[in-house]
Amino acid sequence: MSDNSGNTADKKLSGAGLRGQSAGETKLCTVGKSGSGLTYCGYDVADLAENATFEEVAYLLFNGELPNSAQLAQYKVELKAMRDLPQALKEVLQRIPKSAHPMDVMRTGCSFLGNLEPEADFSQQNTAANRLLSAFPAIMCYWYRYSHEGIEIDCHSEEDSLAGHFLRLLKGETASAQHQRVMDVSLILYAEHEFNASTFTARVCASTLSDMFSCVTGAIGTLRGPLHGGANEAAMDMIEQFSSPSDAKIQMAGMLERKEKIMGFGHAVYRTSDPRNVIIKQWSEKLAKENGNTALYDISVACEEYMWDTKKLFCNADFFHASTYNYMGIPTKLFTPIFVCSRLTGWAAHVMEQRSNNRIIRPSADYIGSAPRVVTPINER
Ligand SMILES: CC(=O)SCCNC(=O)CCNC(=O)[C@H](O)C(C)(C)COP(=O)(O)OP(=O)(O)OC[C@H]1O[C@@H](n2cnc3c(N)ncnc32)[C@H](O)[C@@H]1OP(=O)(O)O
Ligand SMILES: O=C([O-])CC(=O)C(=O)O
């Protein structure tokens, strides 16, 4: 039986991938629990996407409660003051070639910042998290515009929100109020998701009492893969090859026949839907109509229908993010780095939570190798 959270009680579980096994406790998030698909600290993600901003969600994840007006204003002042990058980091970013994978740029940017401004002890964990939150848009855009356009951008802006700040650094001008809102909603949707692969990476690293920058660097590497955050880019690469809704269905049939994974579909926890999809899909439709060219949206809907009808597979958070970002004129290669700018909040909150009640994460393995044996001298092998 399934409910509107996409969860079912009868999912077949196996040991592979640790699926369905509890690996610890968290106060931060529920995924696929009955009655509500996704909550952050008790708030439904749909409620937050409708009635909060990304900065409020970041504050919530780091402090356990939503801020009041004075706290939010103070937090935004604090974040704004940390947007610029040190010169040494700009120089490193200048050396990274245009051909680099932008997730590798994010990983290096994070790691290098950890050399310049190390988290000396855990009392600095909030500062380290907020610094990364503020600096990530500049790390991404400084490298992108330098390597692709030869421009050394000003990494500071007076834009009110991180969403607006990112869009300004990317485009060189203030984005429309609507684009800023869509980006803000997107950052809220991507912020946190319990023990997903990248967050679990961050927690494993944190459990060794390592520093915040190491935890986040590891998490970026994990998010990069197409089975996780990389799926939004992979979905875009796929749908832009489809010339029409009917062509999409023909080509997807071929992909399924060849047993290829269709990126942006399916989920390790949700069974019938991802609650983030309905929200980002609405924005994709809205942007498509305003854009006057709904082709990409129509093709995406055809993909969604076809996958549900043939395989009972549904769009996860990544699928309609592809067309949404595309309608906003965002280059495909920056899709997953935007995910980093958002998920940093979840990663850092989990690092703090792990530290607050830590035991090193060290599971066991079932041995399936050869029986005990002795080393044969090398000249006898
Ligand atoms: C923000 C996020 O990270 S959301 C996830 C983003 N990733 C993607 O979109 C990549 C595509 N999706 C997938 O690869 C998978 O659905 C995952 C990685 C998300 C989840 O993997 P699992 O938990 O192993 O999936 P699950 O157990 O539900 O798979 C059931 C079956 O459906 C198949 N399946 C699942 N997703 C897909 C897909 N997108 N395309 C084709 N077949 C799929 C599996 O191969 C499996 O088939 P099998 O039983 O014949 O082996
Ligand atoms: O929870 C997962 O496995 C993947 C996911 O949707 C996310 O990290 O947002």
Side-chain angles (χ1 to χ4, degrees):
M1 283 296 293
S2 70
D3 55 32
N4 66 359
S5 68
N7 191 31
T8 56
D10 56 1
K11 184 182 182 192
K12 193 165 162 264
L13 301 175
S14 75
L18 297 176
R19 194 72 72 260
Q21 300 177 36
S22 174
E25 296 180 330
T26 184
K27 290 180 181 164
L28 295 166
C29 181
T30 64
V31 172
K33 293 274 183 264
S34 187
S36 179
L38 172 59
T39 64
Y40 301 166
C41 304
Y43 295 100
D44 195 300
V45 75
D47 193 6
L48 291 168
E50 186 73 32
N51 298 306
T53 61
F54 178 57
E55 282 80 357
E56 288 171 77
V57 168
Y59 187 100
L60 170 70
L61 291 169
F62 293 164
N63 299 285
E65 297 296 337
L66 284 168
N68 61 29
S69 306
Q71 288 165 331
L72 180 62
Q74 169 58 32
Y75 186 45
K76 285 168 88 165
V77 168
E78 199 184 315
L79 290 176
K80 211 182 258 188
M82 293 195 281
R83 286 178 176 175
D84 206 353
L85 304 181
Q87 184 57 29
L89 176 51
K90 290 180 185 167
E91 284 165 18
V92 165
L93 293 170
Q94 284 186 12
R95 285 167 181 256
I96 303 179
K98 181 181 179 181
S99 59
H101 193 297
M103 286 295 278
D104 297 346
V105 178
M106 299 302 278
R107 195 191 59 218
T108 297
C110 175
S111 180
F112 194 71
L113 193 60
N115 285 283
L116 300 176
E117 302 172 10
E119 182 196 24
D121 61 63
F122 295 170
S123 70
Q124 296 176 2
Q125 62 184 6
N126 282 77
T127 306
N130 288 326
R131 175 62 166 139
L132 283 168
L133 184 59
S134 295
F136 271 149
I139 289 176
M140 177 183 6
C141 294
Y142 185 86
W143 166 77
Y144 182 79
R145 298 202 55 204
Y146 183 82
S147 60
H148 289 66
E149 299 167 23
I151 298 171
E152 287 182 53
I153 60 165
D154 180 356
C155 292
H156 182 75
S157 89
E158 284 300 322
E159 298 293 337
D160 183 58
S161 67
L162 277 164
H165 171 61
F166 159 62
L167 291 170
R168 165 168 267 285
L169 296 196
L170 181 63
K171 308 271 176 111
E173 59 186 20
T174 297
S176 69
Q178 189 186 57
H179 280 194
Q180 293 193 42
R181 181 63 191 143
V182 180
M183 183 50 63
D184 201 58
V185 168
S186 165
L187 296 175
I188 292 172
L189 296 180
Y190 270 147
E192 163 55 7
H193 219 246
E194 199 221 31
F195 277 24
N196 62 84
S198 55
T199 301
F200 196 59
T201 301
R203 282 193 83 126
V204 171
C205 188
S207 82
T208 70
L209 303 184
S210 189
D211 70 295
M212 182 68 79
F213 292 90
S214 298
C215 297
V216 174
T217 302
I220 293 172
T222 308
L223 190 71
R224 183 190 195 284
L227 296 189
H228 192 9
N232 56 13
E233 289 179 30
M236 188 66 225
D237 292 341
M238 180 183 75
I239 56 182
E240 68 187 353
Q241 284 174 22
F242 302 155
S243 59
S244 65
S246 52
D247 180 50
K249 292 183 180 185
I250 293 165
Q251 293 210 47
M252 287 180 105
M255 292 171 78
L256 290 175
E257 183 74 24
R258 294 189 296 276
K259 303 249 176 279
E260 291 171 23
K261 280 269 166 75
I262 313 283
M263 296 306 169
F265 285 86
H267 199 271
V269 180
Y270 300 124
R271 292 296 89 200
T272 55
S273 63
D274 180 331
R276 300 166 292 185
N277 179 52
V278 64
I279 301 169
I280 200 65
K281 183 182 172 187
Q282 279 166 4
W283 280 110
S284 173
E285 182 178 19
K286 208 168 176 139
L287 293 175
K289 285 187 178 144
E290 283 173 17
N291 190 287
N293 179 0
T294 62
L296 208 53
Y297 176 76
D298 296 338
I299 286 170
S300 302
V301 171
C303 295
E304 183 179 36
E305 287 170 1
Y306 184 77
M307 286 295 280
W308 183 253
D309 292 346
T310 56
K311 298 283 286 181
K312 289 287 170 282
L313 281 169
F314 54 90
C315 296
N316 57 46
D318 283 328
F319 192 69
F320 276 93
H321 259 106
S323 51
T324 301
Y325 287 166
N326 187 280
Y327 281 126
M328 291 169 74
I330 297 172
T332 304
K333 59 162 68 170
L334 297 186
F335 289 7
T336 319
I338 298 173
F339 197 157
V340 171
C341 295
S342 163
R343 184 56 59 88
L344 174 273
T345 55
W347 293 333
H350 277 274
V351 168
M352 296 175 197
E353 190 177 58
Q354 180 67 35
R355 288 172 172 178
S356 71
N357 184 18
N358 187 57
R359 189 170 189 202
I360 191 165
I361 297 173
R362 200 301 189 190
S364 308
D366 297 324
Y367 181 65
I368 54 166
S370 68
R373 48 188 174 160
V374 293
V375 176
T376 312
I378 195 159
N379 56 356
E380 293 174 25
R381 278 179 231 155

